[in-house]
Amino acid sequence: MPQHPDPEQPAAAATPSAQAAVERIAIHGDLLDLAAAPAWADPGSEAVRWRPDHWLLIEDGRIAGVQAQDPGAEWQRIDHRGRLVLPGFVDAHVHCPQIDMIASYGAELLDWLQTYTFAAELRHADPAHAAAGAERFADALLSHGTTAAVVMPTVHKVSAEALFAAAQRRGMRLVAGKVLMDRNAPEGLTDDVEQAERDCRELIERWHGRDRLAYAVTVRFAPTSSPEQLAMAGALCKEDPTLYAHTHVAENRDEVRWVGELYPEARSYLDVYARAGLLHRRSVLAHGIWLDAEDRAALADAGAVLAHSPSSNLFLGSGLFDWTALAARGAAIAMASDVGAGTSLSMQRTLADAYKVQALRGQRLTAWAALYAATRGAARALALEDEIGSFDAGCAADVCVWDWARGSVAERRDELARSLHERVFAWLVLSDERNLVSARVAGIERYRRGDPP
Ligand code: GUN
Ligand code: ZN
């Protein structure tokens, strides 16, 4: 996969602050990232790399190193002293068209899809609507500090095209694919096996491995695909193991019952995907609230990643995800906003919800485990650890600068923090996208607070 941004690439739709790739940039601030997976419930984890008042060196869009001393005038030095500098967040599961119906009232999953979601997605059949939506969505991710994402557009090929194009223009790392649905959905939102396969193949040819983009074979969920369509999707993955698979699993109890009726031969909901060849090292499965021990073992053994969507799970009343059971079995867990069932693209809000969900289960999620699942852990799960999620030398410089505190309550709390964990945890719980000062993608500033949208 080509890794460097194409210098020929026009910076269309970039904010006015975006600049041509600058050779050598040095950002001065409080640098925080994770060198490895932190242990569960360990606020003193040695996996944390805390380098306050340091310089992050960026050369040609990539991390060149970190140092305490001023690198000198050969570098474009950017003063963010007193601010928190983090790797850009990775959102492991989010729906591009659903920013139009986020925060819709009063329904569980299946009614919510019928009442609000499908109507919003139908509009993306129109190329102009899909293009405008994709541009808005990509800018919204960046303005929330998310520089990489695994995204569902709609069933329409044009919506996937628009999304890849919008991410490409911003140099973002994006995993996406046209949504597959050939039954149990309204007219205008279904495809069929043959057309869907043709569309997938064309999109893969055009986008998979191009710049920082990758294709995910995207079954929406088992109820909206026929067994034949699942088999086609699995065959695509088998043909090319560098493809991702992206879907929903075991989110809601009525949904799980329905899948049992539709696929009586499968042992479980997850087993429907396993039998179709859709459970593998590059599978991203959202939710997984209603998995059993055998499912957890299958997910871990396949090396797949569970995209945990706490905000969505609370909002739709889907249930309380059992993080510790899945982690204990060795499965990867990445953080996901799942907008528009999730109520914010902010990864801090998502992480704060994750903390509260675990609290309801009698567990405590540390700031380190939370941050890991939204940065390096997500990157590792997506087989992108050499590329994103940390300040390791050689990684792309996807970097966000945050205010430690905004407003009198957060400022006071920040002043009183006695340990690093206490400080970062309070930041996670009290901050949101309004704390974001600057977001860089492969070294280029794509969002700066105060710039006009
Ligand atoms: N299951 C199938 N489609 C969806 C969706 O759009 N959002 C959520 N949260 N779950 C789903
Ligand atoms: Zn979803």
Side-chain angles (χ1 to χ4, degrees), residues 93-95 98 109 112-113 152 220 246-248 251 286-287 309 312 316 336-342:
H93 171 74
V94 56
H95 298 254
Q98 295 182 12
L109 173 65
W112 175 84
L113 287 170
M152 282 201 189
R220 179 184 209 114
H246 181 201
T247 192
H248 297 91
E251 174 177 3
H287 305 288
S309 313
S312 163
L316 294 182
S337 70
D338 193 29
V339 160

Side-chain angles (χ1 to χ4, degrees), residues 88-419:
F89 286 130
V90 182
D91 189 336
H93 171 74
V94 56
H95 298 254
C96 162
Q98 295 182 12
I99 53 176
D100 285 1
M101 40 67 70
I102 186 172
S104 289
Y105 172 77
E108 283 203 13
L109 173 65
L110 299 177
D111 287 340
W112 175 84
L113 287 170
Q114 292 292 342
T115 312
Y116 303 111
T117 317
F118 289 157
E121 296 193 7
L122 268 167
R123 292 195 283 273
H124 283 248
D126 171 11
H129 187 89
E135 297 292 323
R136 208 168 22 247
F137 175 75
D139 281 339
L141 286 181
L142 293 173
S143 68
H144 285 73
T146 295
T147 51
V150 183
V151 185
M152 282 201 189
T154 68
V155 71
H156 312 102
K157 189 181 175 206
V158 288
S159 81
E161 289 279 1
L163 184 58
F164 279 125
Q168 187 190 39
R169 272 195 281 278
R170 292 160 180 79
M172 293 172 74
R173 187 158 278 284
L174 181 100
V175 176
K178 169 209 130 55
V179 174
L180 297 166
M181 316 167 69
D182 67 348
R183 64 171 172 173
N184 294 321
E187 208 185 316
L189 265 196
T190 52
D191 51 18
D192 60 56
V193 179
E194 292 72 30
Q195 185 59 49
E197 181 172 355
R198 271 197 301 278
D199 288 352
C200 285
R201 287 188 184 281
E202 283 170 26
L203 287 164
I204 290 164
E205 179 68 30
R206 188 159 152 74
W207 296 107
H208 185 54
R210 185 159 173 199
D211 297 337
R212 304 183 74 200
L213 311 172
Y215 197 82
V217 176
T218 305
V219 170
R220 179 184 209 114
F221 68 154
T224 46
S225 283
S226 64
E228 295 73 28
Q229 190 169 61
L230 292 186
M232 181 275 285
L236 286 175
C237 290
K238 196 165 174 203
E239 229 176 82
D240 182 352
T242 67
L243 291 171
Y244 291 88
H246 181 201
T247 192
H248 297 91
V249 70
E251 174 177 3
N252 166 286
R253 274 181 283 202
D254 290 339
E255 171 211 20
V256 174
R257 255 192 303 278
W258 192 20
V259 171
E261 289 161 22
L262 292 169
Y263 291 93
E265 68 287 359
R267 193 201 66 79
S268 68
Y269 190 160
L270 185 73
D271 189 44
V272 173
Y273 297 139
R275 284 163 168 254
L278 289 165
L279 186 62
H280 51 72
R281 169 66 183 92
R282 289 187 177 221
S283 299
V284 181
L285 301 117
H287 305 288
I289 298 165
W290 306 104
L291 300 176
D292 63 16
E294 220 172 298
D295 291 329
R296 287 192 283 272
L299 205 141
D301 292 346
V305 54
L306 194 292
H308 174 37
S309 313
S311 167
S312 163
N313 297 343
L314 292 168
F315 185 71
L316 294 182
S318 301
L320 303 176
F321 171 65
D322 192 345
W323 183 311
T324 51
L326 194 59
R329 188 55 186 73
I333 298 167
M335 206 53 73
S337 70
D338 193 29
V339 160
T343 53
S344 173
L345 287 173
S346 161
M347 212 36 76
Q348 294 99 301
R349 288 184 183 226
T350 306
L351 297 174
D353 281 344
Y355 177 85
K356 293 170 195 170
V357 166
Q358 293 316 305
L360 281 167
R361 297 193 63 92
Q363 298 285 342
R364 290 293 183 271
L365 181 68
T366 63
W368 311 136
L371 271 181
Y372 181 73
T375 55
R376 189 181 203 119
R380 175 181 286 183
L382 296 170
L384 292 171
E385 197 178 5
D386 293 342
E387 186 54 28
I388 55 173
S390 75
F391 293 146
D392 284 2
C395 277
D398 293 354
V399 178
C400 291
V401 180
W402 301 88
D403 282 328
W404 275 108
R406 302 262 293 166
S408 61
V409 172
E411 280 164 13
R412 175 75 180 146
R413 185 67 189 87
D414 187 53
E415 274 166 29
L416 294 179
R418 290 153 304 168
S419 71

